[in-house]
Every structure is written in C-alpha cells, then in structure tokens.
Amino acid sequence: MAMRDENIQYLREQQATKVLQGFLQSKSVDIKLTAVAGLADISTDEEAEHTGTSEDVVQFLLSILDNALDDEEHDYKGWSGTEIVRGKVRNQLAYPPVAQLSDNSLEMMPIKKLLVEQGVLPLLTKGIQSDLEDEKTESIEALWRLSFCKENHPAFVENGELMDLVQKVKYDRQEKDSCRAAAEGILFQLRTELDRREKTQYWAKEFLKRVDFQRKAKIASSAKVKPTTEKTPTAVSQAGHVMLSYNWGHQPLVKKIHDQLVERGIKVWMDIKKMRGSTRTVHG
C-alpha cells in the first residue's frame, strides 16, 4: 500500500509509522526489510530522520544491498538492488521522496554522513558498474545526494576507483543524460576537496624529493670526510626525527608519506589518534 502515493496520507493518519517502527527489531529479515521499506515511503521528515540515523537500520540496509549486488540476478529475498537503492537507501538519504530532494536540507546531513561511515560508498561503486541501467542510475544519483554532505568529501576523494568511474560517466556520451548530470554534480560538490588533494599530493612529492636530495648530499659529504677503511655513517644516523603535522581528512595520504620516509630509514613521528596538547607534551 505504501508504494502508492494516494495511500500515503491515509497510512499516516492511521499511525502506520508507529506500527512499522515496532517491527524494526524483528529477527526476521523479511519482516524487518518490509518495515524499513514502508517507513521509507510514508515517514515524515522528522520520522525519517529518527529512523535513518539508527546505525542498526543503516547497517541492515547496507547488508541487504551488498547481498543483492553480489547476486547473479541482482536480487535478495525478492528485493532487487535497484529497489533497495531507490526506495530504501535513497529515501534514507533525505526525505521527502526523490522528486522533492533538491533542497538537501541540513537536517538530513547526519544520515548522509552515517551512510558513508557505515560503508555505502563501495556498494554504490559496485552499483554504478552494474550492467542493469536502472541500478546504475539509482546508484550514481544516490552518490550525488551523498556528496552534498561536506564531511563525506574526503571519503569520496580517497576512493580512487569511485572517482575514476564518476569521471568516466561524466564524459561518456553514451551514458544517460541523468547519469552524466549526476556525475557532474558530484564533481562540482567535491571541487574544493579535489583541488586540496591535488595540491597536497604535489607538495608531498616535492617533500620526498627534498628528503632524498638531502639524504644523498649528507652521505656524499660523509664519504669525503671519513677514511674509506672506516664504516661511513649514513645521513639517517646524523639526522633528527621528522614530525608529520596534517589535516585529519588527509590521513591516508600522509600515512603513505610516513611509510616512504620509514623505508628511507628516517624516524618519523605521526599522530594517528588525534592526540591533544603541545608537541613537547605529546612527543617529549
């Protein structure tokens, strides 16, 4: 009944939302999925926000979507990947229904953030590679809605496979106009983070070049001073430590820099637990 627009108001008046919420704790996958589906269709803004921000509901939805995407028939317990993304995940991203989602209200941002934190991006990455046109369309439009939450931007940009696919969809003239528009919208939302990442990668490469140059220079200088019969000290033994200070959203990239410095024999300090206080207190 909830799938028909003309029934929604009647179901709300009959307090069907409260009834369905009672089934969210069911141990039956079929019952729980039906309850989530009904709530996605008939909930008001406030009700949808309350339901959507439940970690249990989000994890449940994503597990169902994962199973459907991995199935040969793209189906899990009678629900297709397209139906799950369209009617369940996308309506969890922001309510009201799809046609009215353009405002992407601030109230819905926690839901978008929670979905990304719980691992929806790799699943939607699978979705946009689907050979089913509807599944692909629903997945990339869901990604577009997720991109409106700025706190999700680092996770988008760090997913190289996803970003390559979005770029491909945008410039592929054989793709549907709606898919290309969604891809362009994603890149527009991510433009600041993409620019920041590009600059960060450039300076990271420059930094490693400088480290290599200084290391080689010190080794060459040591070789000139010490007799050839003695063990020549390396630049590493003469050098101090390197402390990496960085924006928390860039941690994956900075970890790569850390690993490359360690490979070069350089001792590195790097905060990976959001330590507080002065550097003297933390590292002293």
Side-chain angles (χ1 to χ4, degrees):
M1 290 179 66
M3 294 177 68
R4 300 181 67 87
D5 292 342
E6 59 267 27
N7 293 334
I8 291 176
Q9 187 57 41
Y10 173 77
L11 290 169
R12 288 176 179 170
E13 292 171 356
Q14 300 303 312
Q15 298 187 332
T17 302
K18 291 184 179 180
V19 174
L20 289 171
Q21 285 177 342
F23 290 100
L24 291 178
Q25 304 306 317
S26 174
K27 294 183 179 179
S28 166
V29 173
D30 293 326
I31 293 174
K32 189 170 183 177
L33 183 55
T34 302
V36 171
L39 287 168
D41 288 329
I42 69 173
S43 295
T44 62
D45 291 16
E46 184 178 353
E47 292 166 340
E49 181 182 0
H50 174 74
T51 303
T53 51
S54 164
E55 287 192 19
D56 176 63
V57 171
V58 170
Q59 289 174 356
F60 174 73
L61 276 172
L62 298 187
S63 68
I64 298 298
L65 177 58
D66 193 17
N67 285 320
L69 291 173
D70 285 342
D71 183 74
E72 289 184 5
E73 301 297 326
H74 296 251
D75 179 278
Y76 183 72
K77 291 187 175 293
W79 297 89
S80 70
T82 300
E83 289 173 325
I84 296 168
V85 176
R86 177 190 296 154
K88 319 315 174 266
V89 175
R90 262 178 52 178
N91 278 12
Q92 293 289 353
L93 291 178
Y95 191 89
V98 175
Q100 304 172 37
L101 283 178
S102 58
D103 62 340
N104 280 279
S105 60
L106 292 175
E107 289 79 5
M108 295 299 114
M109 293 305 173
I111 301 176
K112 293 177 171 66
K113 181 182 176 184
L114 181 60
L115 279 162
V116 169
E117 289 175 343
Q118 296 298 321
V120 76
L121 293 186
L123 300 181
L124 294 176
T125 300
K126 285 185 188 178
I128 62 177
Q129 297 177 81
S130 173
D131 53 359
L132 299 179
E133 196 65 39
D134 287 346
E135 192 169 273
K136 182 175 185 177
T137 300
E138 296 297 336
S139 295
I140 197 162
E141 290 189 359
L143 285 164
W144 172 62
R145 284 166 175 77
L146 286 169
S147 73
F148 276 82
C149 177
K150 290 185 178 179
E151 292 178 88
N152 288 339
H153 291 182
F156 266 86
V157 174
E158 289 296 334
N159 190 324
E161 181 184 14
L162 173 58
M163 297 311 301
D164 288 344
L165 289 167
V166 170
Q167 290 274 6
K168 182 179 178 181
V169 171
K170 177 186 175 181
Y171 293 108
D172 189 346
R173 295 186 178 277
Q174 295 183 349
E175 295 286 356
K176 290 170 58 177
D177 289 343
S178 59
C179 289
R180 295 182 65 196
E184 185 172 4
I186 293 168
L187 294 172
F188 178 79
Q189 292 297 327
L190 300 178
R191 63 194 184 283
T192 301
E193 187 67 27
L194 287 167
D195 182 59
R196 183 183 296 118
R197 179 177 172 79
E198 184 178 347
K199 290 178 180 177
T200 302
Q201 288 179 328
Y202 170 79
W203 287 113
K205 290 178 181 178
E206 291 299 307
F207 174 71
L208 290 173
K209 285 181 183 178
R210 185 178 300 177
V211 168
D212 284 339
F213 176 80
Q214 292 177 345
R215 181 167 176 265
K216 290 175 181 178
K218 286 183 177 181
I219 291 175
S221 176
S222 298
K224 291 178 181 178
V225 173
K226 299 294 181 180
T228 55
T229 55
E230 295 183 14
K231 185 177 180 180
T232 303
T234 64
V236 174
S237 64
Q238 300 174 24
H241 296 182
V242 171
M243 185 180 76
L244 298 176
S245 177
Y246 60 98
N247 181 300
W248 198 251
H250 296 150
Q251 190 183 86
L253 175 61
V254 179
K255 282 183 176 179
K256 292 178 182 178
I257 297 174
H258 169 276
D259 293 343
Q260 291 187 42
L261 288 172
V262 171
E263 286 177 4
R264 289 165 167 79
I266 298 173
K267 296 179 181 179
V268 185
W269 288 97
M270 177 181 171
D271 174 12
I272 60 173
K273 297 182 180 179
K274 290 190 175 179
M275 293 185 287
R276 297 289 189 266
S278 68
T279 54
R280 180 175 298 177
T281 301
V282 172
H283 299 295

